[in-house]
Amino acid sequence: MLSHEERIAEVKRRIAAKEHQKRLQRGRITAVSCVAACLAVIVGFSLSMPGIVDQIELGTSSGFETAATMFGGSAALGYIVIGLLAFVLGVCVTILCFRIRLLNKEEQTEEQKGDNADGTCQ
């Protein structure tokens, strides 16, 4: 039979565990939502890119004035935008991987704390 203080401590421990599970679930939902939003933005830009590139007017100067420029008379703007989008995707994936790693570490430490409190694992 548990004493009154032990029952209160057990109820508080259960409440803390449920709140921790809710925080983890919200974190996962947020991460998945962010990934879905990033993918939707990238796919949207990728599908609209040909129309954007077709609307770009080439420079009015021609000949020797633009011969030495990097962007003169080419579709380099499309490559620049795609490169920036690839960079943003890489940043999003990196942040996602760090968040997943952090969540896994938190779960492992919680499991270890729970095992140590039960006395089943040393």
Side-chain angles (χ1 to χ4, degrees), residues 46-77:
S46 298
L47 293 176
S48 65
M49 199 65 200
I52 293 171
V53 171
D54 287 341
Q55 291 178 354
I56 297 173
E57 294 182 16
L58 297 177
T60 56
S61 58
S62 62
F64 297 108
E65 295 89 16
T66 61
T69 63
M70 184 164 64
F71 306 115
S74 67
L77 185 60

PDB file of all heavy atoms in Angstrom, residues 46-77:
ATOM      1  N   SER A  46       9.716  25.063 -58.888  1.00  0.00           N
ATOM      2  CA  SER A  46      10.228  24.267 -60.010  1.00  0.00           C
ATOM      3  C   SER A  46       9.239  24.227 -61.168  1.00  0.00           C
ATOM      4  O   SER A  46       9.639  24.272 -62.335  1.00  0.00           O
ATOM      5  CB  SER A  46      10.534  22.843 -59.545  1.00  0.00           C
ATOM      6  OG  SER A  46      11.525  22.855 -58.559  1.00  0.00           O
ATOM      7  N   LEU A  47       7.962  24.128 -60.843  1.00  0.00           N
ATOM      8  CA  LEU A  47       6.962  24.089 -61.915  1.00  0.00           C
ATOM      9  C   LEU A  47       6.760  25.449 -62.564  1.00  0.00           C
ATOM     10  O   LEU A  47       6.440  25.531 -63.756  1.00  0.00           O
ATOM     11  CB  LEU A  47       5.630  23.565 -61.367  1.00  0.00           C
ATOM     12  CG  LEU A  47       5.632  22.100 -60.917  1.00  0.00           C
ATOM     13  CD1 LEU A  47       4.287  21.742 -60.302  1.00  0.00           C
ATOM     14  CD2 LEU A  47       5.945  21.181 -62.083  1.00  0.00           C
ATOM     15  N   SER A  48       6.936  26.525 -61.801  1.00  0.00           N
ATOM     16  CA  SER A  48       6.738  27.856 -62.376  1.00  0.00           C
ATOM     17  C   SER A  48       8.018  28.424 -62.991  1.00  0.00           C
ATOM     18  O   SER A  48       7.979  29.463 -63.640  1.00  0.00           O
ATOM     19  CB  SER A  48       6.213  28.819 -61.311  1.00  0.00           C
ATOM     20  OG  SER A  48       7.195  28.997 -60.309  1.00  0.00           O
ATOM     21  N   MET A  49       9.137  27.774 -62.821  1.00  0.00           N
ATOM     22  CA  MET A  49      10.422  28.288 -63.319  1.00  0.00           C
ATOM     23  C   MET A  49      10.459  28.472 -64.839  1.00  0.00           C
ATOM     24  O   MET A  49      10.961  29.492 -65.311  1.00  0.00           O
ATOM     25  CB  MET A  49      11.544  27.353 -62.865  1.00  0.00           C
ATOM     26  CG  MET A  49      12.869  27.986 -62.925  1.00  0.00           C
ATOM     27  SD  MET A  49      12.797  29.305 -61.735  1.00  0.00           S
ATOM     28  CE  MET A  49      14.083  30.291 -62.257  1.00  0.00           C
ATOM     29  N   PRO A  50       9.966  27.525 -65.643  1.00  0.00           N
ATOM     30  CA  PRO A  50      10.018  27.757 -67.097  1.00  0.00           C
ATOM     31  C   PRO A  50       9.266  29.017 -67.521  1.00  0.00           C
ATOM     32  O   PRO A  50       9.734  29.755 -68.394  1.00  0.00           O
ATOM     33  CB  PRO A  50       9.356  26.508 -67.687  1.00  0.00           C
ATOM     34  CG  PRO A  50       9.556  25.464 -66.666  1.00  0.00           C
ATOM     35  CD  PRO A  50       9.503  26.170 -65.344  1.00  0.00           C
ATOM     36  N   GLY A  51       8.126  29.301 -66.899  1.00  0.00           N
ATOM     37  CA  GLY A  51       7.380  30.517 -67.231  1.00  0.00           C
ATOM     38  C   GLY A  51       8.136  31.769 -66.827  1.00  0.00           C
ATOM     39  O   GLY A  51       8.128  32.778 -67.552  1.00  0.00           O
ATOM     40  N   ILE A  52       8.808  31.718 -65.687  1.00  0.00           N
ATOM     41  CA  ILE A  52       9.581  32.876 -65.228  1.00  0.00           C
ATOM     42  C   ILE A  52      10.752  33.133 -66.164  1.00  0.00           C
ATOM     43  O   ILE A  52      11.038  34.276 -66.530  1.00  0.00           O
ATOM     44  CB  ILE A  52      10.060  32.653 -63.780  1.00  0.00           C
ATOM     45  CG1 ILE A  52       8.866  32.635 -62.823  1.00  0.00           C
ATOM     46  CG2 ILE A  52      11.046  33.736 -63.361  1.00  0.00           C
ATOM     47  CD1 ILE A  52       9.221  32.216 -61.408  1.00  0.00           C
ATOM     48  N   VAL A  53      11.437  32.091 -66.558  1.00  0.00           N
ATOM     49  CA  VAL A  53      12.595  32.247 -67.438  1.00  0.00           C
ATOM     50  C   VAL A  53      12.155  32.753 -68.816  1.00  0.00           C
ATOM     51  O   VAL A  53      12.856  33.559 -69.442  1.00  0.00           O
ATOM     52  CB  VAL A  53      13.373  30.916 -67.558  1.00  0.00           C
ATOM     53  CG1 VAL A  53      14.447  30.984 -68.622  1.00  0.00           C
ATOM     54  CG2 VAL A  53      13.985  30.547 -66.224  1.00  0.00           C
ATOM     55  N   ASP A  54      10.996  32.316 -69.303  1.00  0.00           N
ATOM     56  CA  ASP A  54      10.510  32.793 -70.601  1.00  0.00           C
ATOM     57  C   ASP A  54      10.168  34.278 -70.571  1.00  0.00           C
ATOM     58  O   ASP A  54      10.270  34.966 -71.585  1.00  0.00           O
ATOM     59  CB  ASP A  54       9.264  32.004 -71.036  1.00  0.00           C
ATOM     60  CG  ASP A  54       9.618  30.590 -71.462  1.00  0.00           C
ATOM     61  OD1 ASP A  54      10.809  30.340 -71.773  1.00  0.00           O
ATOM     62  OD2 ASP A  54       8.705  29.735 -71.479  1.00  0.00           O
ATOM     63  N   GLN A  55       9.758  34.814 -69.413  1.00  0.00           N
ATOM     64  CA  GLN A  55       9.384  36.221 -69.312  1.00  0.00           C
ATOM     65  C   GLN A  55      10.589  37.145 -69.189  1.00  0.00           C
ATOM     66  O   GLN A  55      10.458  38.352 -69.356  1.00  0.00           O
ATOM     67  CB  GLN A  55       8.468  36.433 -68.106  1.00  0.00           C
ATOM     68  CG  GLN A  55       7.115  35.810 -68.280  1.00  0.00           C
ATOM     69  CD  GLN A  55       6.262  35.994 -67.033  1.00  0.00           C
ATOM     70  OE1 GLN A  55       6.723  36.493 -66.027  1.00  0.00           O
ATOM     71  NE2 GLN A  55       5.005  35.576 -67.123  1.00  0.00           N
ATOM     72  N   ILE A  56      11.747  36.605 -68.889  1.00  0.00           N
ATOM     73  CA  ILE A  56      12.945  37.438 -68.721  1.00  0.00           C
ATOM     74  C   ILE A  56      13.384  37.953 -70.086  1.00  0.00           C
ATOM     75  O   ILE A  56      13.566  37.183 -71.030  1.00  0.00           O
ATOM     76  CB  ILE A  56      14.080  36.638 -68.055  1.00  0.00           C
ATOM     77  CG1 ILE A  56      13.666  36.214 -66.659  1.00  0.00           C
ATOM     78  CG2 ILE A  56      15.360  37.455 -68.015  1.00  0.00           C
ATOM     79  CD1 ILE A  56      14.658  35.276 -65.992  1.00  0.00           C
ATOM     80  N   GLU A  57      13.526  39.259 -70.186  1.00  0.00           N
ATOM     81  CA  GLU A  57      13.982  39.853 -71.438  1.00  0.00           C
ATOM     82  C   GLU A  57      15.503  39.925 -71.406  1.00  0.00           C
ATOM     83  O   GLU A  57      16.106  40.273 -70.392  1.00  0.00           O
ATOM     84  CB  GLU A  57      13.401  41.256 -71.591  1.00  0.00           C
ATOM     85  CG  GLU A  57      11.901  41.268 -71.764  1.00  0.00           C
ATOM     86  CD  GLU A  57      11.378  42.675 -71.956  1.00  0.00           C
ATOM     87  OE1 GLU A  57      12.174  43.576 -72.248  1.00  0.00           O
ATOM     88  OE2 GLU A  57      10.167  42.849 -71.814  1.00  0.00           O
ATOM     89  N   LEU A  58      16.086  39.608 -72.520  1.00  0.00           N
ATOM     90  CA  LEU A  58      17.530  39.702 -72.626  1.00  0.00           C
ATOM     91  C   LEU A  58      17.943  41.171 -72.651  1.00  0.00           C
ATOM     92  O   LEU A  58      17.147  42.048 -72.975  1.00  0.00           O
ATOM     93  CB  LEU A  58      18.016  38.990 -73.888  1.00  0.00           C
ATOM     94  CG  LEU A  58      17.747  37.479 -73.936  1.00  0.00           C
ATOM     95  CD1 LEU A  58      18.220  36.914 -75.267  1.00  0.00           C
ATOM     96  CD2 LEU A  58      18.437  36.768 -72.788  1.00  0.00           C
ATOM     97  N   GLY A  59      19.170  41.423 -72.323  1.00  0.00           N
ATOM     98  CA  GLY A  59      19.687  42.797 -72.302  1.00  0.00           C
ATOM     99  C   GLY A  59      19.577  43.472 -73.661  1.00  0.00           C
ATOM    100  O   GLY A  59      19.634  42.837 -74.704  1.00  0.00           O
ATOM    101  N   THR A  60      19.407  44.783 -73.625  1.00  0.00           N
ATOM    102  CA  THR A  60      19.275  45.524 -74.879  1.00  0.00           C
ATOM    103  C   THR A  60      20.618  45.721 -75.555  1.00  0.00           C
ATOM    104  O   THR A  60      20.680  45.903 -76.758  1.00  0.00           O
ATOM    105  CB  THR A  60      18.629  46.898 -74.610  1.00  0.00           C
ATOM    106  OG1 THR A  60      19.418  47.594 -73.640  1.00  0.00           O
ATOM    107  CG2 THR A  60      17.203  46.728 -74.106  1.00  0.00           C
ATOM    108  N   SER A  61      21.677  45.713 -74.788  1.00  0.00           N
ATOM    109  CA  SER A  61      22.990  45.864 -75.420  1.00  0.00           C
ATOM    110  C   SER A  61      23.419  44.532 -76.006  1.00  0.00           C
ATOM    111  O   SER A  61      23.091  43.471 -75.510  1.00  0.00           O
ATOM    112  CB  SER A  61      24.015  46.351 -74.388  1.00  0.00           C
ATOM    113  OG  SER A  61      24.080  45.446 -73.320  1.00  0.00           O
ATOM    114  N   SER A  62      24.154  44.601 -77.075  1.00  0.00           N
ATOM    115  CA  SER A  62      24.596  43.368 -77.717  1.00  0.00           C
ATOM    116  C   SER A  62      26.012  43.541 -78.222  1.00  0.00           C
ATOM    117  O   SER A  62      26.556  44.633 -78.251  1.00  0.00           O
ATOM    118  CB  SER A  62      23.664  43.025 -78.885  1.00  0.00           C
ATOM    119  OG  SER A  62      23.724  44.056 -79.844  1.00  0.00           O
ATOM    120  N   GLY A  63      26.555  42.456 -78.579  1.00  0.00           N
ATOM    121  CA  GLY A  63      27.884  42.509 -79.169  1.00  0.00           C
ATOM    122  C   GLY A  63      28.978  42.518 -78.126  1.00  0.00           C
ATOM    123  O   GLY A  63      28.974  41.764 -77.174  1.00  0.00           O
ATOM    124  N   PHE A  64      29.941  43.442 -78.328  1.00  0.00           N
ATOM    125  CA  PHE A  64      31.144  43.433 -77.507  1.00  0.00           C
ATOM    126  C   PHE A  64      30.934  43.981 -76.095  1.00  0.00           C
ATOM    127  O   PHE A  64      31.729  43.743 -75.215  1.00  0.00           O
ATOM    128  CB  PHE A  64      32.247  44.217 -78.213  1.00  0.00           C
ATOM    129  CG  PHE A  64      32.637  43.586 -79.511  1.00  0.00           C
ATOM    130  CD1 PHE A  64      32.296  44.178 -80.721  1.00  0.00           C
ATOM    131  CD2 PHE A  64      33.332  42.399 -79.521  1.00  0.00           C
ATOM    132  CE1 PHE A  64      32.654  43.604 -81.912  1.00  0.00           C
ATOM    133  CE2 PHE A  64      33.689  41.810 -80.722  1.00  0.00           C
ATOM    134  CZ  PHE A  64      33.351  42.410 -81.923  1.00  0.00           C
ATOM    135  N   GLU A  65      29.859  44.748 -75.870  1.00  0.00           N
ATOM    136  CA  GLU A  65      29.655  45.333 -74.543  1.00  0.00           C
ATOM    137  C   GLU A  65      29.385  44.263 -73.481  1.00  0.00           C
ATOM    138  O   GLU A  65      29.763  44.410 -72.332  1.00  0.00           O
ATOM    139  CB  GLU A  65      28.470  46.315 -74.541  1.00  0.00           C
ATOM    140  CG  GLU A  65      28.668  47.553 -75.393  1.00  0.00           C
ATOM    141  CD  GLU A  65      28.197  47.322 -76.822  1.00  0.00           C
ATOM    142  OE1 GLU A  65      27.466  46.349 -77.062  1.00  0.00           O
ATOM    143  OE2 GLU A  65      28.581  48.123 -77.691  1.00  0.00           O
ATOM    144  N   THR A  66      28.726  43.184 -73.854  1.00  0.00           N
ATOM    145  CA  THR A  66      28.375  42.150 -72.880  1.00  0.00           C
ATOM    146  C   THR A  66      29.198  40.887 -73.032  1.00  0.00           C
ATOM    147  O   THR A  66      28.902  39.877 -72.420  1.00  0.00           O
ATOM    148  CB  THR A  66      26.889  41.782 -73.008  1.00  0.00           C
ATOM    149  OG1 THR A  66      26.651  41.271 -74.319  1.00  0.00           O
ATOM    150  CG2 THR A  66      25.997  42.964 -72.708  1.00  0.00           C
ATOM    151  N   ALA A  67      30.227  40.940 -73.831  1.00  0.00           N
ATOM    152  CA  ALA A  67      31.005  39.731 -74.075  1.00  0.00           C
ATOM    153  C   ALA A  67      31.728  39.250 -72.826  1.00  0.00           C
ATOM    154  O   ALA A  67      31.921  38.053 -72.637  1.00  0.00           O
ATOM    155  CB  ALA A  67      32.012  39.980 -75.192  1.00  0.00           C
ATOM    156  N   ALA A  68      32.099  40.165 -71.936  1.00  0.00           N
ATOM    157  CA  ALA A  68      32.864  39.769 -70.764  1.00  0.00           C
ATOM    158  C   ALA A  68      31.985  39.540 -69.537  1.00  0.00           C
ATOM    159  O   ALA A  68      32.484  39.109 -68.512  1.00  0.00           O
ATOM    160  CB  ALA A  68      33.903  40.837 -70.441  1.00  0.00           C
ATOM    161  N   THR A  69      30.695  39.810 -69.629  1.00  0.00           N
ATOM    162  CA  THR A  69      29.856  39.622 -68.450  1.00  0.00           C
ATOM    163  C   THR A  69      29.443  38.175 -68.311  1.00  0.00           C
ATOM    164  O   THR A  69      29.337  37.437 -69.291  1.00  0.00           O
ATOM    165  CB  THR A  69      28.589  40.494 -68.522  1.00  0.00           C
ATOM    166  OG1 THR A  69      27.820  40.066 -69.632  1.00  0.00           O
ATOM    167  CG2 THR A  69      28.926  41.954 -68.637  1.00  0.00           C
ATOM    168  N   MET A  70      29.189  37.800 -67.088  1.00  0.00           N
ATOM    169  CA  MET A  70      28.838  36.408 -66.838  1.00  0.00           C
ATOM    170  C   MET A  70      27.388  36.126 -67.226  1.00  0.00           C
ATOM    171  O   MET A  70      27.043  35.023 -67.613  1.00  0.00           O
ATOM    172  CB  MET A  70      29.044  36.094 -65.350  1.00  0.00           C
ATOM    173  CG  MET A  70      28.808  34.649 -65.004  1.00  0.00           C
ATOM    174  SD  MET A  70      29.461  34.146 -63.416  1.00  0.00           S
ATOM    175  CE  MET A  70      28.522  35.097 -62.282  1.00  0.00           C
ATOM    176  N   PHE A  71      26.521  37.131 -67.128  1.00  0.00           N
ATOM    177  CA  PHE A  71      25.110  36.899 -67.354  1.00  0.00           C
ATOM    178  C   PHE A  71      24.618  37.438 -68.694  1.00  0.00           C
ATOM    179  O   PHE A  71      23.422  37.413 -68.950  1.00  0.00           O
ATOM    180  CB  PHE A  71      24.285  37.558 -66.242  1.00  0.00           C
ATOM    181  CG  PHE A  71      24.716  37.132 -64.878  1.00  0.00           C
ATOM    182  CD1 PHE A  71      25.257  38.051 -63.997  1.00  0.00           C
ATOM    183  CD2 PHE A  71      24.603  35.822 -64.484  1.00  0.00           C
ATOM    184  CE1 PHE A  71      25.653  37.652 -62.749  1.00  0.00           C
ATOM    185  CE2 PHE A  71      25.002  35.417 -63.234  1.00  0.00           C
ATOM    186  CZ  PHE A  71      25.530  36.335 -62.348  1.00  0.00           C
ATOM    187  N   GLY A  72      25.476  37.914 -69.515  1.00  0.00           N
ATOM    188  CA  GLY A  72      25.057  38.544 -70.755  1.00  0.00           C
ATOM    189  C   GLY A  72      24.451  37.573 -71.739  1.00  0.00           C
ATOM    190  O   GLY A  72      25.106  36.676 -72.231  1.00  0.00           O
ATOM    191  N   GLY A  73      23.184  37.767 -72.072  1.00  0.00           N
ATOM    192  CA  GLY A  73      22.525  37.016 -73.134  1.00  0.00           C
ATOM    193  C   GLY A  73      22.361  35.530 -72.884  1.00  0.00           C
ATOM    194  O   GLY A  73      22.258  34.761 -73.818  1.00  0.00           O
ATOM    195  N   SER A  74      22.304  35.087 -71.641  1.00  0.00           N
ATOM    196  CA  SER A  74      22.128  33.653 -71.389  1.00  0.00           C
ATOM    197  C   SER A  74      21.005  33.444 -70.386  1.00  0.00           C
ATOM    198  O   SER A  74      20.447  34.380 -69.843  1.00  0.00           O
ATOM    199  CB  SER A  74      23.424  33.049 -70.859  1.00  0.00           C
ATOM    200  OG  SER A  74      23.704  33.576 -69.579  1.00  0.00           O
ATOM    201  N   ALA A  75      20.698  32.232 -70.153  1.00  0.00           N
ATOM    202  CA  ALA A  75      19.640  31.893 -69.194  1.00  0.00           C
ATOM    203  C   ALA A  75      20.239  31.595 -67.822  1.00  0.00           C
ATOM    204  O   ALA A  75      19.781  30.720 -67.106  1.00  0.00           O
ATOM    205  CB  ALA A  75      18.858  30.696 -69.703  1.00  0.00           C
ATOM    206  N   ALA A  76      21.254  32.348 -67.453  1.00  0.00           N
ATOM    207  CA  ALA A  76      21.945  32.093 -66.184  1.00  0.00           C
ATOM    208  C   ALA A  76      21.066  32.393 -64.981  1.00  0.00           C
ATOM    209  O   ALA A  76      21.247  31.808 -63.916  1.00  0.00           O
ATOM    210  CB  ALA A  76      23.225  32.925 -66.112  1.00  0.00           C
ATOM    211  N   LEU A  77      20.096  33.285 -65.138  1.00  0.00           N
ATOM    212  CA  LEU A  77      19.224  33.616 -64.013  1.00  0.00           C
ATOM    213  C   LEU A  77      18.446  32.384 -63.534  1.00  0.00           C
ATOM    214  O   LEU A  77      18.273  32.178 -62.337  1.00  0.00           O
ATOM    215  CB  LEU A  77      18.255  34.738 -64.403  1.00  0.00           C
ATOM    216  CG  LEU A  77      17.365  35.258 -63.280  1.00  0.00           C
ATOM    217  CD1 LEU A  77      18.223  35.827 -62.147  1.00  0.00           C
ATOM    218  CD2 LEU A  77      16.421  36.304 -63.802  1.00  0.00           C
TER     219      LEU A  77
END
